Structure formats: structure tokens, C-alpha cells
């Protein structure tokens, strides 16, 4: 039997062990396909663009062990179209990614993608203090502007 | 014939494609062993500690493709002792790492490690604009303090 395709998505602005944990947990379920948010989509979603431009974020993600393939997402917010292209068996959400599973499942079903399993990673990786891109940015600002 | 051991060293505070390029170039020469500077040593050397604590930097480096093994350096500045422990065939320096090859060779010879080849990577990876940890930090500060 061929391995399952596991999809994860994110901005991955400053790589930290929380990202790596998500990727490694995904790898336990199958081969990991990563959608890296475009600058434009991130800006729409978060109100501000990422610090690192999309091509550079993509290059870093591609260099991580356990990443089978990484691609940029779309700029038109039509995330389900990218999901359709990747055609995963499983979508793994991070513990604090703001997608609602029920809404996502509904969208998938509307597109005939109801065979995709959606799972949320429950455990939050808190071995290190700076376990989010925001916390890293905050520390940089606090360090250099005091 | 077994593969050559190629050693690189650095702080790797915020991972960027320049780091990945160095690792991938090292991998063309053999198996890549990485020494990650301790917070203390980095502070001695650069006048300020890194933003990301050493264990977290180590964890990110370990997760990169082409990294065979990564270890923390020492806190006593005795880098040659770590080199001795790793016992590489080649030391690959980054294009702007401030080690002088002649001085390094002299230190290696004094320790009986004169069989180690020291090479400097000449090409600088400038595909992306934010190709140093400092530039990334600067952009974060500029973005959030304007």
C-alpha cells in the first residue's frame, strides 16, 4: 500500500521547534506535503504581511527533514483549490491554527473532497520558550529597542 | 571507502537560505557535522548573546536535510577541542565567517590535527534579500517600531 499523503499549511515566518514538531507528527501519519501561505494571503488573513518573503519561506521549509514536498499557496484565498491539487488523505491542523474543523469539512464536502480526514494536533510543543514566530519577533524587538 | 566528514560551525540564530546553502555545499563533500555555538561563546565573540537559546537553535539545525549530526560547541572558547572530538576530514568555512584559514591551520597543526583540510566556501548565496540573521532582525525592528 502506498503511503498516505498528509497535508499541513502555514506561514512559517521564522522557523521554530513548534513547526518542526507539527511536521514530524504529520510524518508519523504519512508523507508530508506543506502549503506555504503567500505573502498576499497572509496579509489578508493576519492584517500584516510576513517578515520573510514567500519564496524564502518556501526554501527553508523545503530544506526540513520529513518534508516530502512544499509549495506556495494561492493569492486568491481559494485554499480548497490548492487542497484539491495536492489531493491529500489527511489534513493535519496545528494546535492553534484558527481553522474550524466543521467549516473546513463542509467546504471539502462541497468540493467532493469528503474523503479527506481532518485531524487537529492536540499536543502543543512547549519544550522551548520561543515557540512561535511572534514570540521570536517580540524578543528581537525587546532586545534591540530597549 | 567511507564518506568524508565535513564540519561546519555557526550560531544559526535565525535560519535562512544562506545557512542552508552552506550545509548543502558541505553535503557535496561528505557527511555534514555541525557545531552550533553556545550562547556564552557567541556572546564572547559577538558582544551579545543570540536571540534564540542554544538548545532551540540546535533543534532547528538537527531538523535540516543534509545534517548528519549537530552538537553544541563549548562554552570555554576551546573550539579546537570540539574539532578534535568530531575529527572531521574537512572544515568548510562560510564566505563571511571571520576565521582566518592560516591561523586555524596553525591551531590544528599544534594539536596534531594537520590532516584536516580547511576550505572556504567562496560563493555567497544571494538569491534572497534577507540572507543573514542580522538582516532579518533589522527588518523585524524596522517593521514594528516605525
Amino acid at each position: 500500500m502506498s503511503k498516505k499523503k498528509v497535508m499541513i499549511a502555514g506561514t512559517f515566518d521564522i522557523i521554530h521547534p513548534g513547526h518542526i514538531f507539527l511536521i514530524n507528527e504529520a510524518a508519523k501519519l504519512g508523507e508530508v506535503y506543506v502549503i506555504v501561505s503567500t505573502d498576499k494571503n497572509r496579509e489578508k488573513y493576519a492584517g500584516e504581511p510576513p517578515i520573510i518573503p514567500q519564496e524564502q519561506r518556501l526554501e527553508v521549509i523545503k530544506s526540513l527533514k520529513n518534508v516530502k514536498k512544499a509549495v506556495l499557496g494561492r493569492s486568491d484565498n481559494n485554499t480548497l483549490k490548492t487542497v484539491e491539487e495536492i489531493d491529500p488523505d489527511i489534513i493535519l491542523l496545528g494546535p492553534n491554527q484558527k481553522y474550524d474543523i466543521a467549516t473546513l469539512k463542509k467546504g471539502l464536502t462541497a468540493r467532493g473532497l469528503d474523503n479527506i480526514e481532518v485531524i487537529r494536533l492536540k499536543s502543543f510543543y512547549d519544550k522551548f520558550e520561543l515557540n512561535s514566530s511572534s514570540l521570536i519577533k517580540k524578543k528581537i524587538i525587546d532586545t534591540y529597542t530597549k
Side-chain angles (χ1 to χ4, degrees), chain A:
Chain A
M1 211 183 94
S2 67
K3 279 194 177 175
K4 287 191 175 174
K5 269 190 186 179
V6 187
M7 201 201 88
I8 64 170
T11 306
F12 309 103
D13 201 12
I14 312 273
I15 287 296
H16 57 76
H19 295 136
I20 294 162
F21 180 67
L22 178 64
I23 289 165
N24 293 347
E25 289 298 304
K28 291 178 185 168
L29 306 171
E31 289 183 323
V32 183
Y33 289 70
V34 184
I35 300 181
V36 175
S37 301
T38 55
D39 295 342
K40 210 168 155 180
N41 241 29
R42 171 68 188 185
E43 186 167 4
K44 272 188 216 160
Y45 179 76
E48 59 184 23
I51 291 294
I52 312 288
Q54 60 193 36
E55 295 291 345
Q56 181 166 338
R57 289 184 285 113
L58 178 65
E59 179 139 328
V60 172
I61 285 292
K62 280 181 174 174
S63 75
L64 293 172
K65 284 171 186 164
N66 279 332
V67 171
K68 170 83 174 173
K69 194 177 177 187
V71 295
L72 283 178
R74 301 168 62 86
S75 294
D76 63 4
N77 237 344
N78 190 348
T79 309
L80 291 175
K81 177 81 185 147
T82 313
V83 176
E84 200 170 23
E85 284 161 10
I86 292 182
D87 190 24
D89 300 290
I90 298 170
I91 295 175
L92 182 65
L93 299 174
N96 47 12
Q97 281 187 313
K98 288 165 198 162
Y99 291 100
D100 176 59
I101 289 191
T103 313
L104 182 56
K105 284 295 278 180
K106 212 172 145 187
L108 292 170
T109 302
R111 276 196 171 263
L113 301 170
D114 37 2
N115 55 328
I116 301 176
E117 195 181 350
V118 182
I119 305 174
R120 185 179 295 279
L121 182 63
K122 292 219 173 55
S123 42
F124 187 74
Y125 190 67
D126 57 3
K127 189 175 159 197
F128 300 103
E129 209 184 316
L130 294 173
N131 55 355
S132 83
S133 298
S134 309
L135 285 172
I136 293 171
K137 290 174 197 169
K138 188 178 177 313
K139 182 165 175 194
I140 290 170
I141 293 161
D142 289 351
T143 302
Y144 291 102
T145 60
K146 265 179 188 163

